[in-house]
């Protein structure tokens, strides 16, 4: 049986959007699929050795604000912090980011860096978009080892034959 | 039923149980049996789906005291 193929476009660089491409790609590779992720626009920084992705409540109106510690009833509270407030408090995004990271760690979710390492170990091809690299001033050696480089046509040539195509 | 190797994915969330199981079973020979232990409720469907997709045989599934146990026989 021919290998199933999956093509993913990762165009977002915030912490919440960093997870889906790496989770789906590592899972698909574990299911013996051939997987390529095309990192473009704000997805590019996810290929840097140190991933500094943050999450911002301002861009996610439906994001629950929950505390990853304390008694269960306390953790269940969805803190009603208006964007007018969260958007102007300095450091609010950093706080929301560390809360999300803690929550994920508590639940046994791997970090984005760990998921990326698994993807590479399982043979997922991580492709940096050449054009957006030039636009945003990235060099090939800004990224982790194992990343490849291509343009839209080269990626679409693979995507055209893929069984699953996703945009994250 | 006996098994040849075992992997404990207790406390791990999606997609770790599937990814770790894949990495483990790749080190084994066809026909050998891997025992997988998980606590993630999602893995109840994920482990069988993974095994079925890649051609491994699901021999046994069980739940006991909040833990899930799977016996998977490696395919060719």
């Amino acid at each position: 049986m021919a290998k199933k193929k999956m093509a993913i476009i990762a165009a977002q660089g915030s912490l919440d959007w960093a997870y889906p491409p790496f989770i789906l790609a590592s899972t698909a590779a574990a299911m013996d699929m051939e997987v390529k992720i095309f990192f473009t626009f704000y997805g590019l920084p996810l290929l840097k050795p140190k991933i500094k992705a943050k999450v911002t409540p301002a861009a996610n109106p439906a994001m629950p604000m929950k505390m990853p510690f304390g008694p269960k009833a306390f953790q269940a509270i969805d803190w009603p912090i208006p964007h007018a407030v969260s958007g102007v408090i300095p450091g609010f995004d950093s706080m929301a980011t560390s809360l999300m990271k803690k929550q994920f760690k508590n639940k046994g979710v791997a970090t984005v860096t760990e998921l990326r390492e698994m993807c590479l170990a399982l043979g997922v091809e991580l492709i940096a978009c050449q054009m957006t690299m030039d636009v945003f001033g990235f060099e090939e050696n800004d990224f982790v080892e194992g990343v490849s480089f291509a343009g839209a046509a080269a990626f679409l040539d693979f995507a055209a034959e893929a069984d699953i195509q996703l945009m994250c | 039923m006996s098994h040849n190797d075992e992997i404990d994915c207790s406390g791990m969330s999606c997609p770790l149980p599937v990814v770790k199981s894949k990495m483990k079973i790749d080190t084994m020979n066809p026909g050998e049996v891997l025992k997988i232990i998980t606590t993630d409720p999602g893995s109840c469907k994920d482990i069988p789906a993974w095994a079925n997709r890649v051609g491994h045989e699901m021999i046994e599934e069980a739940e006991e005291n909040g833990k899930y146990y799977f016996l998977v026989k490696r395919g060719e």
Side-chain angles (χ1 to χ4, degrees), chain A residues 1 3 6 14 34 41 60 75 77 88 94 103 107 121 124 138 142-143:
Chain A
M1 194 176 72
K3 268 194 170 190
M6 178 160 90
S14 55
E34 184 183 350
F41 280 81
N60 298 284
Q75 291 198 31
I77 299 171
V88 294
S94 298
Q103 183 86 319
K107 300 287 183 186
V124 173
F138 288 107
D142 287 337
F143 300 135

Side-chain angles (χ1 to χ4, degrees), chain A residues 26-27 30-32 107-108 118, chain B residues 11 13 15-16 19 22 50 54:
Chain A
S26 56
T27 307
M31 295 172 91
D32 286 345
K107 300 287 183 186
M118 284 175 216
Chain B
S13 283
L16 292 178
V19 171
K22 142 87 178 171
W50 159 73
V54 297

